[in-house]
Amino acid sequence: MKKSYLYSLAYLALVTSLVSCKSKSGTSDKTGLAYNKKEYGGFQVNNKFKRGPGPGLVEIEGGVFVMSGSAINVAGQELSDYNHKRETTVSSFYMDETEVSNTNWLEYLNWIRTNYPTDYEYYYNEIPDTLVWRRPLSYNEPYVDNYLRHPAYQDYPVVGVTWEQASRYCDWRTDRVNELLLRDQGYMTSFKDINGDTRSGVAEASERPTAPFNTETYLSGQHNDKGKKAMKDLSPTSAKAADAGANGKGATRTVRLEDGILKQPYRLPTEAEWEYAALGLIGNTEYENIHENKIYPWNGLGLSSAKKKTRGLILANFKRTKGDYMGVGGSLNDKGGLTVPVRSYTPNDFGLYNMAGNVNEWVADVYRSKTFEAADAFNPYRGNFYEDKKIADPSTGRIEIDKHNRPVMTAAVSARKQTWAEKQAAASKPADSVNTYADQRGYRDKANDLYGEITLITDKSRVYKGGSWDDQAMWLNPATRRFLQQDESTADIGFRCAMTMLGASEIRSMGKPQFKTKPQKAFKAGKR
């Protein structure tokens, strides 16, 4: 009997009860010193951490799968030219339930216009290329003018975005989610206190933030904003009097990464993550046995529903033949000439919509035809370019920021932690003297020197997957892969975001066999 693992919204409400593996004791089992006590040094440990996804994300429990294992086309032939089958393990992660929509992108543009009203270059650089709809022998001009901004298309996937724009959107989304979390929970000044309302009025200009919130600069201590429920500073050297007048609760501090409050960065999913999530084999798994493989994100060999109530309805938005984009008037098959709303059709067994069709989706990887012959079997990915935050003041560790309050990044110079002497010596070298360690995009790629010379493939070629409204059925297979330069865009490529899941790989242990562990014994001084 098939065991269903469909993820409903009600089921996701249980996320907040998930607790990662850690010591529940408030005392160190190695030193005997109590945590969270000022008299013992004030070392703070969050032993009540609860993990969960950020807004818009659903959980994807990782595991092993055969990457490209679904790689057969509708005629039953293997797609050996597109990928290479290989057993691969993907860590658990979070992924957007839907593609990013036009409304989501307009929110981004509105934020830029509001916070940088005189920086038109910044705004212009983030506007999608609506001219992607133009074709010499098609009348698509209405989409050029209306697709992004008109409310008729507000829930449709954004297109005309480059890989670079999508990556910057992920960074911006990270900061907005973390800022909302900190302000709503009182760790920072609330939005209500900053912007005011009809009762209290607008805050004085001196009380408003001087620069937009950025997660990295906040964690480096460069946002000295502490709200009414700011974290207590238990350090014995903290200046208690400094904050006593502000909130009457003694010294406070900003949130640290160790507190487990901030969310991990939103990012583009890796190709392996995307393919794993698209297949949704968890719905066909029972007791570690996958009893049915898939060609598409749904079961079966066909492209239409076999269920009684929806029998014959097309399961994704794609081009059925070279000229059939939506079927016959009065009985449309996929009900969309171009894109359709992001919550169309039936989600797969992870709860993800449109993992086949509607729009292709950018993934993080740099394209190479034979990446998976050489890539690691655990979380495979090609595209690493390691960077460090540029230090503005070595004596304090203060990081340098750009005009948009984002950290200035520099190429990493070492594969290991440098000694203090090495670090100081490296800081005195000119910027162009760094080694090539940072760039790993061509690692184990024998033909790397020829890319960009005799082929269209370069280090800026990025993978996209999933098939679209303008593709035929072959491209709906999650194993298929194509590439485009990261600064180019089309009318059939959009994206969705992902987020790393920290802690235990198993998402839900209830009802599953587990080893029992002994509780930590409390240490008492003087006892032997």
Side-chain angles (χ1 to χ4, degrees), residues 15-22 24 47-51:
V15 166
T16 55
S17 66
L18 299 172
V19 182
S20 65
C21 298
K22 67 181 115 16
K24 297 294 183 181
N47 53 22
K48 296 181 180 179
F49 166 67
K50 297 179 181 179
R51 75 180 182 193

Side-chain angles (χ1 to χ4, degrees), residues 163-164 362 364-369 371 382-385 439-443 445 447-463 481-488:
W163 183 95
E164 293 171 346
W362 287 115
D365 292 58
V366 166
Y367 179 84
R368 293 290 188 272
S369 61
T371 288
R382 183 184 291 281
N384 283 310
F385 190 102
D439 190 354
Q440 299 295 314
R441 290 173 292 183
Y443 183 67
D445 186 12
N448 188 47
D449 293 339
L450 301 177
Y451 286 121
E453 298 292 333
I454 63 172
T455 75
L456 296 176
I457 301 170
T458 70
D459 283 342
K460 293 186 177 182
S461 301
R462 299 287 176 169
V463 179
R481 56 202 303 259
R482 289 173 283 182
F483 70 92
L484 188 71
Q485 299 304 95
Q486 65 185 37
D487 58 355
E488 296 179 1

Side-chain angles (χ1 to χ4, degrees), residues 207-220:
E207 299 174 359
R208 299 176 205 163
T210 56
F213 175 88
N214 176 270
T215 302
E216 293 294 337
T217 55
Y218 176 83
L219 287 173
S220 71

